């Protein structure tokens, strides 16, 4: 008998009808001769609603993170009970477990706790008694018994970590799309579902805007070698298999194209080209807890240079505020400028490690389409460019076409 860990996201359990649909799928899986642990998220919108309530009652303070975890964990606790009830009404034997009951222990970093240990004795006991186990995603407890949560999207992590702890034969992540696509199908109409993708490619695509899974859960899967499949809970199509790369996966140079809108660029010009300037700039930005994406610094001929970086557009005013006090340290005639209305397009593929010319091909297709590139950055398996936001959909389409991604 195989042991299967399934995870159903918020959209798959959004209402009673969908919960009953999930229950039916779980029963199908069990009837096919498997033992099943199903991890569920809060019903769609519930976590956000709870966050709003917390803010409302806490004004003018920020809600305490410990209480936030007590609150947010109720979203998943609701779903496990409802799913177990739906299963029972369909004649199956099922029991729900909270993260704490399932032995998921974490550190004390409330709202973004890390799993430190899993002792799944209660899960084994229920499975041995022939029951389906419905496990609350996104939550655990500290060694002192305090409730913690694992960061937004953390039910993915619960599923991957539980699959590792139970040494499951299969881990399936059910969502409302058929899998990971070569590009967002709302932008590129002939985008195709990817059959197999490596952990590293999925991580790069996630950091470039294609959020199918919580990045921490993919890192965890990579570390512990958990192979998983992302697939739809609304049909029976095979999904996308995510695993360590193999030689044959390298023959495909570009796996996918991802885009990230709503970016902004901050440029500090007239900066003295001396040791320490970048550290002053990014020290100030880092102290304000801002996440910087691309960074470009020009070589200087005159001892004066420009430094630009990008952040999400919601963070740009915070970045400017953080930089103002340190400008005088950067040179005599420094100018600070922020521009919105830009977006990032990335091509990702492990095949890039052994193929040259990817960047050139991408740049040529953009130039043929008359699209100006404002910034460029690369990693071993990614080339990313910043373009005007109004060009991003067209850019995604031409690049997707150039690399033949609709046909592989
Ligand atoms: N309910 C949590 C969230 O919305 C966890 C999850 O859905 O994975 O972030
Ligand atoms: Mg999710």
């Amino acid at each position: 008998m195989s042991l299967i860990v399934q995870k159903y996201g918020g959209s798959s359990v959004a209402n009673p009808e969908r919960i009953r649909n999930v229950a039916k799928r779980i029963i199908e899986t069990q009837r096919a001769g498997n033992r099943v642990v199903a991890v569920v998220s809060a019903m769609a919108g519930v976590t956000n609603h709870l966050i709003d309530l917390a803010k409302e009652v806490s004004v003018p303070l920020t809600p305490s993170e410990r209480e936030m975890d007590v609150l947010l964990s109720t979203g998943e606790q609701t779903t496990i009970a409802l799913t177990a009830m739906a299963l029972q009404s369909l004649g199956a034997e099922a029991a729900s477990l909270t993260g704490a009951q399932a032995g998921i222990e974490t550190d004390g970093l409330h709202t973004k706790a890390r799993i430190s240990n899993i002792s799944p004795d209660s899960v084994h006991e229920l499975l041995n008694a022939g029951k389906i186990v419905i496990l609350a995603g996104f939550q655990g407890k500290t060694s002192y018994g305090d409730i913690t949560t694992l960061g937004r999207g953390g039910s993915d992590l619960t599923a991957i970590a539980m699959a590792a702890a139970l040494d499951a034969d299969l881990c399936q992540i059910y969502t409302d799309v058929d899998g990971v696509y070569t590009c967002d199908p709302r932008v590129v109409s002939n985008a195709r579902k990817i059959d197999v993708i490596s952990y590293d490619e999925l991580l790069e695509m996630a950091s470039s805007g294609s959020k199918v899974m919580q990045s921490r859960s993919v890192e965890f899967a990579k570390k512990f070698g958990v192979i998983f499949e992302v697939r739809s809970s609304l049909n029976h199509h095979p999904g996308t298999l995510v695993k360590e790369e193999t030689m044959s996966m390298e023959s495909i140079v570009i796996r996918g194209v991802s885009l990230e809108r709503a970016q902004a660029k901050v440029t500090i010009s007239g900066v003295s080209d001396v040791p320490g300037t970048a550290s002053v700039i990014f020290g100030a930005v880092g102290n304000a807890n801002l996440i910087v994406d691309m960074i470009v610094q020009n070589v200087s001929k005159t001892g004066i240079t420009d430094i630009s970086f990008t952040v999400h557009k919601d963070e740009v005013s915070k970045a400017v505020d953080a930089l103002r006090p340190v400008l005088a340290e950067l040179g005599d005639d420094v100018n600070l400028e922020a521009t919105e209305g830009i977006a990032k397009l990335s091509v990702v593929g492990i095949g890039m490690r052994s193929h040259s010319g990817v960047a050139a091909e991408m740049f040529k297709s953009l130039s043929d389409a008359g699209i100006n590139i404002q910034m460029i950055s690369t990693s071993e398996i990614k080339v990313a460019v910043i373009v005007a936001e109004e060009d991003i959909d067209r850019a995604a389409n031409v690049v997707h076409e150039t690399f033949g991604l609709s046909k592989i």
Side-chain angles (χ1 to χ4, degrees):
M1 233 193 203
S2 295
L3 171 59
I4 302 187
V5 173
Q6 303 185 323
K7 180 253 169 179
Y8 293 94
S11 56
S12 302
V13 292
N15 55 46
E17 193 195 327
R18 291 222 174 154
I19 292 179
R20 282 178 70 85
N21 167 54
V22 161
K24 284 184 196 138
R25 298 188 71 114
I26 294 173
I27 291 176
E28 272 170 35
T29 312
Q30 192 195 37
R31 298 236 164 104
N34 304 296
R35 294 188 296 161
V36 190
V37 175
V39 175
V40 290
S41 291
M43 295 163 76
V46 166
T47 308
N48 286 341
H49 174 63
L50 293 171
I51 293 174
D52 289 345
L53 285 177
K55 285 186 187 152
E56 267 179 60
V57 297
S58 304
V59 166
L61 301 181
T62 335
S64 120
E65 293 190 325
R66 181 185 181 281
E67 300 315 322
M68 215 50 205
D69 280 350
V70 175
L71 178 70
L72 295 189
S73 63
T74 64
E76 273 69 15
Q77 191 165 334
T78 305
T79 324
I80 52 170
L82 293 175
T83 309
M85 289 171 190
L87 281 159
Q88 289 163 358
S89 83
L90 294 166
E93 283 201 63
S96 64
L97 291 176
T98 64
Q101 288 175 314
I104 300 179
E105 214 168 275
T106 72
D107 61 17
L109 214 61
H110 284 288
T111 75
K112 42 186 167 308
R114 291 189 171 266
I115 296 177
S116 46
N117 187 39
I118 300 185
S119 320
D121 300 347
S122 53
V123 179
H124 282 302
E125 267 166 41
L126 291 169
L127 289 173
N128 290 341
K131 292 203 166 57
I132 293 167
V133 177
I134 306 300
L135 171 60
F138 177 54
Q139 52 176 262
K141 68 158 175 88
T142 65
S143 53
Y144 303 104
D146 276 342
I147 298 175
T148 49
T149 63
L150 310 175
R152 295 307 304 268
S155 299
D156 292 336
L157 182 57
T158 305
I160 300 281
M162 199 38 99
L166 298 172
D167 197 17
D169 298 288
L170 189 60
C171 181
Q172 299 174 316
I173 307 289
Y174 282 95
T175 175
D176 56 357
V177 291
D178 280 0
V180 184
Y181 276 74
T182 51
C183 193
D184 184 342
R186 287 166 302 188
V187 176
V188 175
S189 58
N190 59 2
R192 209 181 27 84
K193 192 199 73 208
I194 299 170
D195 295 332
V196 188
I197 190 170
S198 71
Y199 299 123
D200 286 338
E201 288 168 328
L202 187 61
L203 284 167
E204 281 283 19
M205 288 185 59
S207 71
S208 316
S210 305
K211 260 265 166 298
V212 264
M213 278 196 63
Q214 188 205 37
S215 291
R216 273 174 69 183
S217 68
V218 183
E219 276 157 19
F220 193 102
K222 178 176 155 83
K223 190 161 162 199
F224 293 95
V226 179
I227 298 173
F228 61 92
E229 187 189 12
V230 181
R231 54 187 294 166
S232 170
S233 65
L234 306 172
N235 58 47
H236 286 86
H237 302 162
T240 301
L241 200 63
V242 188
K243 55 183 215 165
E244 198 49 80
E245 63 196 71
T246 56
M247 288 284 269
S248 69
M249 287 165 80
E250 274 201 39
S251 62
I252 291 172
V253 184
I254 302 300
R255 188 81 51 201
V257 175
S258 46
L259 41 131
E260 200 163 9
R261 300 172 201 274
Q263 302 296 296
K265 176 169 66 175
V266 177
T267 301
I268 309 140
S269 47
V271 174
S272 313
D273 190 12
V274 294
T277 45
S279 126
V280 168
I281 293 172
F282 296 104
V285 177
N287 286 339
N289 283 322
L290 300 173
I291 297 176
V292 168
D293 188 7
M294 264 191 216
I295 300 177
V296 173
Q297 179 186 331
N298 249 325
V299 232
S300 77
K301 282 199 180 134
T302 54
I304 298 288
T305 185
D306 299 347
I307 296 185
S308 296
F309 63 88
T310 62
V311 287
H312 191 273
K313 95 176 187 330
D314 293 347
E315 311 250 81
V316 69
S317 60
K318 280 190 222 152
V320 169
D321 289 346
L323 285 168
R324 282 233 165 78
V326 301
L327 285 184
E329 293 173 46
L330 299 171
D332 298 331
D333 202 10
V334 180
N335 187 39
L336 179 64
E337 198 189 345
T339 346
E340 291 185 18
I342 57 173
K344 182 170 79 164
L345 183 80
S346 311
V347 296
V348 173
I350 49 169
M352 261 185 235
R353 292 193 190 123
S354 47
H355 289 76
S356 58
V358 170
E361 212 175 320
M362 178 181 187
F363 301 160
K364 173 147 194 337
S365 68
L366 292 171
S367 123
D368 289 348
I371 295 168
N372 188 38
I373 299 171
Q374 303 184 18
M375 289 166 100
I376 300 170
S377 87
T378 60
S379 81
E380 210 190 2
I381 63 166
K382 176 171 83 171
V383 181
V385 297
I386 294 286
V387 299
E389 192 155 20
E390 63 194 37
D391 290 334
I392 189 73
D393 287 9
R394 212 156 50 84
N397 275 283
V398 295
V399 169
H400 194 269
E401 184 64 35
T402 294
F403 289 106
L405 292 180
S406 57
K407 305 194 218 36
I408 295 165

